[in-house]
Amino acid sequence: MIIFVGSTNPVKINAVKQVFSIIFPKKNISVKSLDVSSEVSNQPIELNNVVKGAVKRAQNALNKAKKIYPTYFENENEDEDKNEDKENDEQIFSVGIEAGLVSIPFTISGYLDYQFCAIIDKTGKISIGSNSGWEYPSEVINSIINNRDLEIADIMAKISGDNEIKHRGGAIGYFSKGKLKREELTRQGIFMALIPWMNQDKYF
């Protein structure tokens, strides 16, 4: 099983490999990271933009993979129905993960942070999942709203004193006092997006 990830962030890459290995324990999992555009701002705000970022990362990674690894896709135009047991076929997935702010009523700051995961196979079928939403302090949200060129990672680097925070425990690690790491949230979204692929006869 080959999985392309539309990111070079080690947190996302490790989370993808971990979850796919759990869901498909009998598969030999090969994960390849690709640097692609999300086609949204560096700090997406509102649901449509966050989901679009995840989908575009997955789509752009798949398109880039077809150029870099053409041999993986040589048989994609063949009749897939000739194989009744598709679970035994070589599978190719492309994964896009995007975090962003979604406006939610009754919250302290007006927003919750979510990571959305999009998973696409080589035929173009797509699934979406998300993690648990959580809230940043209002000072962080206000800084982002007032300066759309900023990323939360920039603000969190100043607050935490860790310039690599987004590649490690993340803001959730900082605010949860180390009880929850970013990779755990990322895994949640991947798990949720994989539900349809675990039940293909019911979803696709």
Side-chain angles (χ1 to χ4, degrees), residues 147-159:
N147 186 350
R148 294 303 178 92
D149 292 328
L150 278 178
E151 286 187 63
I152 285 180
D154 300 324
I155 301 170
M156 288 306 305
K158 294 180 180 178
I159 291 175

Side-chain angles (χ1 to χ4, degrees), residues 3-201:
I3 302 122
F4 299 103
V5 182
S7 176
T8 58
N9 187 317
V11 171
K12 295 180 180 181
I13 297 164
N14 290 337
V16 167
K17 186 161 189 175
Q18 289 170 14
V19 176
F20 271 82
S21 296
I22 291 170
I23 300 301
F24 304 104
K26 296 181 180 180
K27 297 286 187 178
N28 181 22
I29 307 294
S30 175
V31 177
K32 301 182 183 298
S33 67
L34 296 170
D35 189 11
V36 298
S37 172
S38 67
E39 299 187 27
V40 296
S41 66
N42 289 335
Q43 183 54 66
I45 299 175
E46 297 307 349
L47 183 63
N48 287 346
N49 291 325
V50 186
V51 175
K52 177 185 176 181
V55 171
K56 289 299 182 180
R57 282 184 182 275
Q59 291 176 334
N60 291 338
L62 186 63
N63 292 334
K64 190 171 185 177
K66 288 180 178 180
K67 296 177 181 178
I68 298 175
Y69 306 102
T71 56
Y72 292 156
F73 302 90
E74 286 178 349
N75 300 321
E76 70 174 327
N77 294 322
E78 292 184 359
D79 184 7
E80 294 185 358
D81 291 332
K82 66 183 179 180
N83 294 317
E84 293 183 2
D85 186 7
K86 294 184 181 180
E87 289 300 316
N88 292 326
D89 295 343
E90 180 70 278
Q91 291 175 287
I92 294 176
F93 291 105
S94 185
V95 180
I97 299 168
E98 190 72 28
L101 301 173
V102 178
S103 57
I104 302 291
F106 304 108
T107 52
I108 299 168
S109 66
Y111 294 87
L112 292 184
D113 182 87
Y114 286 93
Q115 286 186 60
F116 279 88
C117 176
I119 300 177
I120 302 175
D121 75 352
K122 63 181 180 180
T123 70
K125 292 196 292 285
I126 185 169
S127 65
I128 302 291
S130 75
N131 67 344
S132 304
W134 70 283
E135 189 164 10
Y136 281 95
S138 294
E139 64 174 310
V140 175
I141 299 301
N142 292 337
S143 296
I144 292 296
I145 298 300
N146 293 330
N147 186 350
R148 294 303 178 92
D149 292 328
L150 278 178
E151 286 187 63
I152 285 180
D154 300 324
I155 301 170
M156 288 306 305
K158 294 180 180 178
I159 291 175
S160 67
D162 181 0
N163 290 328
E164 295 297 317
I165 187 170
K166 76 174 185 176
H167 292 145
R168 290 198 271 257
I172 189 65
Y174 178 83
F175 286 116
S176 71
K177 311 298 184 185
K179 301 296 190 300
L180 186 64
K181 300 293 178 64
R182 183 185 183 192
E183 194 169 291
E184 295 176 61
L185 288 184
T186 304
R187 287 199 297 265
Q188 285 182 8
I190 300 166
F191 266 115
M192 297 305 102
L194 274 173
I195 294 295
W197 301 103
M198 298 165 65
N199 303 273
Q200 293 191 49
D201 59 324

